[in-house]
Amino acid sequence: MLALLLIENSTGATAMKLGSSDPTARLTVIGPDVDAVPLPLSPALSRAAREAGATIAYSRWYETGLVSVFDPATRISVATPLRSDQPGARALVATDFPGSPDLTILAATITPTRKQGRFTPTETTFEGRPPALLFTPEALPFGPGIYRIFGVDEDTVSRFIKVFERSGMRIVGVSFEPDSTPWALITRGVASPFGMIAQGLGAMVILGPLLTAGSRLGRESDRYRAWVSAGAAREIVRRNQLLILLRPGVAGTLTGTALVAAALFRVRDLVLSSAPYVASALASALVLHALTLAIQTAIAIRWNTTRLRHVVPH
Protein backbone atom coordinates (compact mmCIF):
# COMPACT_ATOMS: atom_id res chain seq x y z
CA MET A 1 0.00 0.00 0.00
CA LEU A 2 2.84 2.38 0.83
CA ALA A 3 4.47 1.55 -2.51
CA LEU A 4 1.31 2.44 -4.42
CA LEU A 5 0.97 5.67 -2.47
CA LEU A 6 4.58 6.47 -3.39
CA ILE A 7 3.79 5.88 -7.05
CA GLU A 8 0.77 8.15 -6.76
CA ASN A 9 2.86 10.83 -5.09
CA SER A 10 5.43 10.42 -7.85
CA THR A 11 2.74 10.94 -10.47
CA GLY A 12 1.50 14.05 -8.67
CA ALA A 13 4.99 15.51 -8.28
CA THR A 14 5.72 14.85 -11.95
CA ALA A 15 2.48 16.52 -13.04
CA MET A 16 3.39 19.61 -11.01
CA LYS A 17 6.51 19.92 -13.17
CA LEU A 18 4.82 19.85 -16.59
CA GLY A 19 5.20 16.09 -16.70
CA SER A 20 8.94 15.93 -16.01
CA SER A 21 10.24 13.67 -13.24
CA ASP A 22 13.81 15.00 -13.42
CA PRO A 23 15.47 17.07 -10.67
CA THR A 24 14.41 20.68 -10.97
CA ALA A 25 15.64 24.13 -10.02
CA ARG A 26 13.02 26.81 -9.42
CA LEU A 27 14.22 30.40 -9.80
CA THR A 28 12.46 33.69 -9.20
CA VAL A 29 14.07 36.35 -11.39
CA ILE A 30 13.60 40.11 -11.51
CA GLY A 31 15.25 42.80 -13.57
CA PRO A 32 16.15 46.47 -13.08
CA ASP A 33 12.91 47.28 -14.90
CA VAL A 34 10.21 44.66 -14.40
CA ASP A 35 8.42 45.89 -17.56
CA ALA A 36 11.45 45.35 -19.76
CA VAL A 37 11.85 42.30 -21.96
CA PRO A 38 15.60 41.61 -22.21
CA LEU A 39 15.72 39.93 -25.61
CA PRO A 40 19.40 38.88 -25.36
CA LEU A 41 18.45 36.59 -22.47
CA SER A 42 16.51 34.12 -24.64
CA PRO A 43 19.33 32.97 -26.94
CA ALA A 44 21.82 32.82 -24.06
CA LEU A 45 19.52 30.69 -21.89
CA SER A 46 18.56 28.49 -24.83
CA ARG A 47 22.21 27.89 -25.63
CA ALA A 48 22.99 27.02 -22.00
CA ALA A 49 20.02 24.62 -21.88
CA ARG A 50 21.09 22.90 -25.08
CA GLU A 51 24.67 22.48 -23.83
CA ALA A 52 23.52 21.14 -20.45
CA GLY A 53 20.76 18.92 -21.85
CA ALA A 54 18.28 20.80 -19.67
CA THR A 55 14.73 22.01 -20.21
CA ILE A 56 13.45 25.50 -19.37
CA ALA A 57 9.85 26.44 -18.57
CA TYR A 58 9.19 30.12 -17.87
CA SER A 59 6.26 32.37 -17.16
CA ARG A 60 5.98 36.00 -16.22
CA TRP A 61 2.23 35.65 -15.78
CA TYR A 62 1.80 32.06 -14.62
CA GLU A 63 -1.60 32.95 -13.13
CA THR A 64 -2.90 33.28 -16.70
CA GLY A 65 -1.29 30.06 -17.85
CA LEU A 66 1.14 31.63 -20.36
CA VAL A 67 4.30 29.51 -20.35
CA SER A 68 7.39 29.55 -22.56
CA VAL A 69 9.16 26.24 -23.07
CA PHE A 70 12.57 25.41 -24.47
CA ASP A 71 12.93 21.63 -24.45
CA PRO A 72 15.90 20.23 -26.38
CA ALA A 73 15.88 17.14 -24.15
CA THR A 74 12.17 16.42 -24.94
CA ARG A 75 11.15 16.05 -21.29
CA ILE A 76 7.76 17.72 -21.68
CA SER A 77 5.60 15.50 -23.86
CA VAL A 78 2.74 17.98 -24.31
CA ALA A 79 5.21 20.48 -25.78
CA THR A 80 6.59 18.09 -28.41
CA PRO A 81 5.10 20.12 -31.32
CA LEU A 82 7.26 23.06 -30.13
CA ARG A 83 10.43 21.06 -30.78
CA SER A 84 13.55 23.09 -30.14
CA ASP A 85 15.20 21.90 -33.36
CA GLN A 86 12.59 23.90 -35.29
CA PRO A 87 13.06 27.51 -34.19
CA GLY A 88 10.29 30.01 -34.74
CA ALA A 89 7.49 31.87 -33.01
CA ARG A 90 4.92 29.18 -32.33
CA ALA A 91 2.24 28.46 -29.76
CA LEU A 92 0.18 25.54 -28.50
CA VAL A 93 -3.35 26.09 -27.22
CA ALA A 94 -4.95 24.09 -24.40
CA THR A 95 -7.97 22.11 -25.51
CA ASP A 96 -10.07 23.75 -22.78
CA PHE A 97 -8.85 27.30 -23.45
CA PRO A 98 -11.57 29.80 -22.48
CA GLY A 99 -12.41 32.40 -25.10
CA SER A 100 -10.46 33.22 -28.23
CA PRO A 101 -6.79 32.14 -28.15
CA ASP A 102 -5.88 34.27 -31.18
CA LEU A 103 -6.44 37.54 -29.33
CA THR A 104 -4.49 36.27 -26.30
CA ILE A 105 -1.57 35.18 -28.49
CA LEU A 106 -1.57 38.55 -30.25
CA ALA A 107 -1.58 40.44 -26.94
CA ALA A 108 1.04 38.26 -25.23
CA THR A 109 3.66 37.99 -27.97
CA ILE A 110 5.91 40.56 -29.60
CA THR A 111 6.21 38.84 -32.99
CA PRO A 112 3.70 37.19 -35.34
CA THR A 113 3.13 33.75 -33.83
CA ARG A 114 1.83 30.64 -35.58
CA LYS A 115 -0.51 28.26 -33.79
CA GLN A 116 1.12 24.85 -33.91
CA GLY A 117 -1.84 22.91 -32.57
CA ARG A 118 -3.55 21.99 -29.32
CA PHE A 119 -2.57 20.03 -26.23
CA THR A 120 -4.49 18.44 -23.39
CA PRO A 121 -3.35 19.92 -20.06
CA THR A 122 -4.47 16.88 -18.04
CA GLU A 123 -2.06 16.14 -15.16
CA THR A 124 0.28 18.88 -16.36
CA THR A 125 0.68 22.06 -14.35
CA PHE A 126 3.06 24.97 -13.97
CA GLU A 127 3.16 26.52 -10.50
CA GLY A 128 0.06 24.54 -9.63
CA ARG A 129 -1.99 25.81 -12.59
CA PRO A 130 -2.73 24.01 -15.86
CA PRO A 131 -1.08 25.97 -18.69
CA ALA A 132 -3.42 27.66 -21.14
CA LEU A 133 -0.84 28.47 -23.83
CA LEU A 134 2.66 27.12 -24.44
CA PHE A 135 5.09 29.26 -26.45
CA THR A 136 8.54 29.00 -27.90
CA PRO A 137 11.01 31.61 -26.57
CA GLU A 138 10.86 33.34 -29.99
CA ALA A 139 7.15 34.03 -29.39
CA LEU A 140 7.26 34.85 -25.67
CA PRO A 141 10.90 35.64 -24.74
CA PHE A 142 12.49 34.81 -21.43
CA GLY A 143 12.57 37.66 -18.94
CA PRO A 144 11.66 38.44 -15.33
CA GLY A 145 9.40 35.85 -13.80
CA ILE A 146 9.32 32.26 -12.58
CA TYR A 147 11.63 29.63 -14.07
CA ARG A 148 11.73 25.90 -13.73
CA ILE A 149 14.89 24.35 -15.13
CA PHE A 150 14.54 20.58 -15.43
CA GLY A 151 17.58 18.31 -15.38
CA VAL A 152 19.76 20.39 -13.05
CA ASP A 153 20.51 20.43 -9.33
CA GLU A 154 22.54 22.47 -6.85
CA ASP A 155 25.80 21.52 -8.58
CA THR A 156 24.79 22.16 -12.19
CA VAL A 157 22.51 25.21 -12.02
CA SER A 158 25.42 27.66 -11.71
CA ARG A 159 25.82 28.11 -15.48
CA PHE A 160 22.22 29.33 -15.71
CA ILE A 161 22.69 31.70 -12.79
CA LYS A 162 25.68 33.22 -14.60
CA VAL A 163 23.57 33.73 -17.73
CA PHE A 164 20.96 35.64 -15.72
CA GLU A 165 23.62 37.76 -14.05
CA ARG A 166 25.33 38.59 -17.35
CA SER A 167 21.96 39.67 -18.74
CA GLY A 168 21.46 42.14 -15.90
CA MET A 169 18.82 40.06 -14.14
CA ARG A 170 18.64 39.47 -10.41
CA ILE A 171 17.76 36.13 -8.81
CA VAL A 172 15.74 36.61 -5.63
CA GLY A 173 14.82 32.99 -4.96
CA VAL A 174 16.28 29.58 -5.70
CA SER A 175 14.94 26.20 -4.61
CA PHE A 176 15.49 22.64 -5.73
CA GLU A 177 13.25 19.63 -6.12
CA PRO A 178 14.79 16.15 -6.46
CA ASP A 179 13.73 13.73 -9.16
CA SER A 180 10.25 12.33 -8.60
CA THR A 181 10.45 8.87 -10.15
CA PRO A 182 8.96 6.07 -8.02
CA TRP A 183 12.39 4.50 -7.52
CA ALA A 184 13.88 7.81 -6.35
CA LEU A 185 11.02 8.33 -3.88
CA ILE A 186 11.40 4.78 -2.56
CA THR A 187 15.17 5.19 -2.22
CA ARG A 188 14.80 8.43 -0.25
CA GLY A 189 11.99 6.91 1.79
CA VAL A 190 14.09 3.90 2.79
CA ALA A 191 16.84 6.19 4.09
CA SER A 192 14.41 8.33 6.10
CA PRO A 193 13.48 7.67 9.77
CA PHE A 194 10.05 6.47 8.70
CA GLY A 195 11.75 4.20 6.17
CA MET A 196 13.84 2.67 8.93
CA ILE A 197 10.68 1.97 10.93
CA ALA A 198 9.02 0.47 7.86
CA GLN A 199 12.02 -1.79 7.27
CA GLY A 200 11.81 -3.02 10.87
CA LEU A 201 8.11 -3.72 10.51
CA GLY A 202 8.79 -5.40 7.17
CA ALA A 203 11.32 -7.70 8.80
CA MET A 204 8.72 -8.60 11.42
CA VAL A 205 6.16 -9.31 8.69
CA ILE A 206 8.62 -11.60 6.91
CA LEU A 207 10.09 -13.40 9.92
CA GLY A 208 6.99 -13.49 12.16
CA PRO A 209 4.86 -15.94 10.13
CA LEU A 210 7.93 -18.02 9.27
CA LEU A 211 8.87 -18.44 12.93
CA THR A 212 5.25 -19.04 13.88
CA ALA A 213 4.86 -21.76 11.25
CA GLY A 214 8.12 -23.39 12.35
CA SER A 215 7.02 -23.32 15.98
CA ARG A 216 3.59 -24.79 15.16
CA LEU A 217 5.13 -27.62 13.17
CA GLY A 218 7.73 -28.17 15.89
CA ARG A 219 4.96 -28.98 18.38
CA GLU A 220 3.95 -31.87 16.12
CA SER A 221 7.51 -33.17 15.68
CA ASP A 222 7.03 -36.32 17.80
CA ARG A 223 4.06 -37.39 15.69
CA TYR A 224 5.92 -36.76 12.47
CA ARG A 225 8.97 -38.69 13.70
CA ALA A 226 6.71 -41.63 14.31
CA TRP A 227 5.26 -41.31 10.83
CA VAL A 228 8.69 -41.14 9.26
CA SER A 229 9.90 -44.11 11.31
CA ALA A 230 6.91 -46.08 10.06
CA GLY A 231 7.88 -45.32 6.48
CA ALA A 232 5.40 -42.52 5.64
CA ALA A 233 6.13 -40.87 2.32
CA ARG A 234 7.35 -37.28 2.33
CA GLU A 235 4.27 -36.13 0.39
CA ILE A 236 1.95 -37.45 3.13
CA VAL A 237 3.88 -35.61 5.85
CA ARG A 238 3.96 -32.36 3.89
CA ARG A 239 0.25 -32.57 3.04
CA ASN A 240 -0.60 -32.89 6.72
CA GLN A 241 1.72 -30.02 7.61
CA LEU A 242 0.07 -27.85 4.97
CA LEU A 243 -3.38 -28.56 6.41
CA ILE A 244 -2.15 -27.64 9.90
CA LEU A 245 -0.82 -24.28 8.66
CA LEU A 246 -3.59 -23.55 6.16
CA ARG A 247 -6.39 -23.00 8.67
CA PRO A 248 -4.69 -20.33 10.82
CA GLY A 249 -3.17 -18.73 7.70
CA VAL A 250 -6.56 -18.28 6.03
CA ALA A 251 -8.21 -17.18 9.28
CA GLY A 252 -5.46 -14.63 9.94
CA THR A 253 -5.62 -13.30 6.38
CA LEU A 254 -9.38 -12.81 6.50
CA THR A 255 -9.23 -11.22 9.95
CA GLY A 256 -6.39 -8.87 8.97
CA THR A 257 -8.15 -7.86 5.74
CA ALA A 258 -11.35 -7.08 7.64
CA LEU A 259 -9.49 -5.03 10.25
CA VAL A 260 -7.54 -3.03 7.66
CA ALA A 261 -10.65 -2.41 5.56
CA ALA A 262 -12.55 -1.25 8.65
CA ALA A 263 -9.69 1.05 9.68
CA LEU A 264 -9.49 2.58 6.19
CA PHE A 265 -13.25 3.07 6.19
CA ARG A 266 -13.13 4.92 9.50
CA VAL A 267 -10.31 7.24 8.40
CA ARG A 268 -11.43 7.58 4.76
CA ASP A 269 -11.78 11.35 5.15
CA LEU A 270 -8.17 11.61 6.35
CA VAL A 271 -6.66 9.54 3.54
CA LEU A 272 -5.23 11.90 0.94
CA SER A 273 -5.38 9.35 -1.87
CA SER A 274 -8.46 8.81 -3.97
CA ALA A 275 -10.75 5.85 -3.35
CA PRO A 276 -9.53 3.89 -6.42
CA TYR A 277 -5.93 4.19 -5.25
CA VAL A 278 -6.83 3.00 -1.77
CA ALA A 279 -8.78 0.07 -3.17
CA SER A 280 -5.91 -0.83 -5.50
CA ALA A 281 -3.45 -0.56 -2.65
CA LEU A 282 -5.54 -2.83 -0.41
CA ALA A 283 -5.99 -5.42 -3.17
CA SER A 284 -2.28 -5.34 -4.04
CA ALA A 285 -1.34 -5.68 -0.36
CA LEU A 286 -3.65 -8.70 -0.05
CA VAL A 287 -2.13 -10.37 -3.12
CA LEU A 288 1.39 -9.65 -1.88
CA HIS A 289 0.51 -10.99 1.57
CA ALA A 290 -0.92 -14.21 0.09
CA LEU A 291 2.18 -14.71 -2.06
CA THR A 292 4.52 -14.02 0.86
CA LEU A 293 2.56 -16.34 3.16
CA ALA A 294 2.67 -19.14 0.58
CA ILE A 295 6.45 -18.79 0.27
CA GLN A 296 6.89 -18.70 4.05
CA THR A 297 4.71 -21.81 4.45
CA ALA A 298 6.68 -23.68 1.80
CA ILE A 299 9.98 -22.77 3.47
CA ALA A 300 8.72 -23.88 6.92
CA ILE A 301 7.39 -27.20 5.61
CA ARG A 302 10.53 -27.95 3.61
CA TRP A 303 12.79 -27.11 6.54
CA ASN A 304 10.75 -29.23 8.95
CA THR A 305 10.52 -32.31 6.74
CA THR A 306 14.22 -32.11 5.87
CA ARG A 307 15.07 -31.94 9.58
CA LEU A 308 12.86 -35.00 10.20
CA ARG A 309 14.68 -36.97 7.54
CA HIS A 310 18.00 -36.10 9.13
CA VAL A 311 16.79 -37.21 12.57
CA VAL A 312 15.12 -40.39 11.32
CA PRO A 313 16.78 -41.48 8.04
CA HIS A 314 14.42 -43.08 5.55
Side-chain angles (χ1 to χ4, degrees):
M1 183 172 185
L2 288 174
L4 279 179
L5 293 178
L6 280 173
I7 293 174
E8 182 187 7
N9 290 337
S10 170
T11 302
T14 298
M16 290 292 289
K17 300 190 292 185
L18 287 177
S20 174
S21 59
D22 293 316
T24 305
R26 182 187 182 278
L27 289 79
T28 303
V29 179
I30 63 173
D33 182 359
V34 295
D35 295 325
V37 181
L39 291 177
L41 179 62
S42 292
L45 271 182
S46 300
R47 184 167 55 253
R50 195 180 296 279
E51 292 173 353
T55 294
I56 298 177
Y58 155 77
S59 180
R60 180 184 294 188
W61 312 283
Y62 69 87
E63 297 92 344
T64 60
L66 307 181
V67 180
S68 294
V69 175
F70 184 76
D71 188 18
T74 61
R75 288 185 172 88
I76 303 175
S77 58
V78 297
T80 300
L82 302 181
R83 283 167 30 199
S84 301
D85 58 350
Q86 297 179 357
R90 291 168 291 141
L92 284 176
V93 183
T95 52
D96 58 353
F97 187 88
S100 172
D102 296 320
L103 295 178
T104 304
I105 292 173
L106 182 64
T109 57
I110 63 172
T111 57
T113 299
R114 176 168 58 93
K115 283 194 300 183
Q116 189 72 28
R118 289 184 173 270
F119 70 96
T120 302
T122 305
E123 296 184 353
T124 301
T125 63
F126 183 88
E127 295 297 299
R129 296 174 180 269
L133 289 163
L134 296 177
F135 297 93
T136 59
E138 293 89 348
L140 190 64
F142 296 137
I146 302 296
Y147 287 82
R148 282 184 176 269
I149 305 178
F150 308 109
V152 298
D153 52 27
E154 294 93 331
D155 299 323
T156 56
V157 76
S158 57
R159 69 168 64 193
F160 295 94
I161 293 177
K162 292 178 181 178
V163 171
F164 285 116
E165 292 174 346
R166 285 197 298 264
S167 299
M169 312 296 287
R170 290 179 292 169
I171 299 174
V172 296
V174 180
S175 60
F176 298 93
E177 300 175 13
D179 50 339
S180 54
T181 61
W183 177 248
L185 288 179
I186 291 173
T187 302
R188 291 196 297 273
V190 166
S192 68
F194 290 106
M196 298 295 182
I197 296 174
Q199 291 178 67
L201 293 175
M204 293 173 58
V205 169
I206 293 174
L207 295 177
L210 188 60
L211 295 176
T212 301
S215 174
R216 189 173 181 84
L217 294 178
R219 292 200 297 267
E220 305 292 336
S221 58
D222 292 339
R223 178 159 61 97
Y224 290 136
R225 287 195 187 97
W227 286 17
V228 172
S229 300
R234 179 179 299 179
E235 290 73 18
I236 295 177
V237 176
R238 287 184 173 177
R239 188 181 302 117
N240 185 266
Q241 291 176 332
L242 178 61
L243 291 175
I244 288 177
L245 298 179
L246 188 61
R247 297 186 187 94
V250 171
T253 298
L254 295 177
T255 302
T257 303
L259 291 175
V260 171
L264 287 175
F265 179 78
R266 291 183 64 87
V267 300
R268 62 188 183 277
D269 295 334
L270 301 178
V271 177
L272 299 179
S273 299
S274 59
Y277 268 105
V278 173
S280 299
L282 183 59
S284 299
L286 183 59
V287 171
L288 181 61
H289 164 73
L291 179 61
T292 304
L293 193 59
I295 294 173
Q296 292 166 330
T297 301
I299 292 174
I301 291 176
R302 182 176 179 82
W303 174 80
N304 189 266
T305 53
T306 300
R307 186 169 61 87
L308 287 173
R309 293 292 176 178
H310 288 162
V311 174
V312 183
H314 178 67

